[in-house]
Amino acid sequence: MASKDDDVKETLIVDARAKNDDAVKDTLIVDARARNISHNVRCTECGSQSIEDSQADIAIILRKLIRDEIRKGKSDKEIFKKLEDDYGETVLYAPKFDMQTAALWLSPLLVAGAAAGVWAYGKHKQKTNVHIMALNLIRGVPLTPRERETLLDVLTPPASQGFKSQEVKTSLWWRRLRGQWSR
């Protein structure tokens, strides 16, 4: 009879350990999800920290609220929605894309587009100026010294590498950079 009692006790211990392991796994899963959500929620008191990193009272309360919502079986989206409804959209580190935040999301593209437009206009104007100067030269219109220098820079072929005694002419942009307009 002692062996049956031992078997029953052993079975109960194994069942208790299995239930304990399941409880530990559930706790670890809840903690991992809560940390993931907490890293994406801004502390309303600190402003610059997530509630996971903050020790403010409101951050502690929000972390507990998130864990309670996870234990109730709510999804991450539902928890984010609840936090947004209760504390406003500023509590989320990644605001959603809508008409109010479109300028915020699209501003880097607008700035890059404007910079590209300015660069392209400058390149076009530079080429156009050289063409206009060449036409003026053909028409007999006298060139200013700067226009003459620009045309010579554009029209003069690069110096041959074989002749060391020949002076190598530096380009116009390099002379501008160094502040040397005349040679």
Side-chain angles (χ1 to χ4, degrees):
M1 235 200 225
S3 65
K4 283 189 177 183
D5 289 337
D6 289 339
D7 289 341
V8 171
K9 286 181 184 178
E10 189 175 316
T11 306
L12 290 175
I13 291 172
V14 169
D15 287 343
R17 284 183 186 163
K19 288 179 183 177
N20 191 22
D21 288 344
D22 289 341
V24 169
K25 284 181 185 177
D26 290 342
T27 303
L28 290 175
I29 291 171
V30 167
D31 284 346
R33 279 187 61 203
R35 281 194 190 99
N36 185 34
I37 293 171
S38 296
H39 280 293
N40 295 309
V41 177
R42 185 186 324 266
C43 176
T44 57
E45 191 173 313
C46 305
S48 63
Q49 287 183 315
S50 69
I51 62 171
E52 185 66 27
D53 300 330
S54 176
Q55 292 302 317
D57 292 337
I58 188 71
I60 295 168
I61 292 169
L62 287 175
R63 287 195 301 260
K64 184 179 179 328
L65 172 81
I66 290 170
R67 281 180 170 74
D68 291 344
E69 294 293 319
I70 291 172
R71 285 186 190 107
K72 289 179 186 175
K74 294 199 176 176
S75 70
D76 291 0
K77 284 185 179 185
E78 291 173 327
I79 295 170
F80 281 126
K81 181 69 175 152
K82 178 176 177 46
L83 290 170
E84 183 181 347
D85 291 344
D86 292 348
Y87 297 97
E89 191 175 337
T90 57
V91 78
L92 302 178
Y93 269 121
K96 61 185 175 186
F97 184 82
D98 59 7
M99 292 307 287
Q100 292 177 341
T101 59
L104 173 70
W105 286 102
L106 297 176
S107 60
L109 295 174
L110 295 173
V111 169
V118 167
W119 177 81
Y121 177 74
K123 283 297 207 182
H124 171 73
K125 189 161 178 73
Q126 181 183 17
K127 286 182 181 180
T128 305
N129 285 343
V130 171
H131 293 284
I132 290 172
M133 287 187 282
L135 286 173
N136 284 342
L137 186 62
I138 292 171
R139 292 181 187 146
V141 177
L143 298 176
T144 65
R146 184 174 178 196
E147 290 174 335
R148 185 176 292 122
E149 187 177 339
T150 302
L151 271 177
L152 284 173
D153 275 346
V154 170
L155 298 174
T156 304
S160 171
Q161 297 296 335
F163 299 105
K164 298 286 182 187
S165 64
Q166 186 179 6
E167 180 182 332
V168 177
K169 188 173 175 85
T170 57
S171 66
L172 178 63
W173 69 269
W174 183 251
R175 284 193 306 263
R176 282 185 190 169
L177 183 66
R178 294 182 61 204
Q180 299 175 354
W181 286 102
S182 61
R183 289 184 70 109

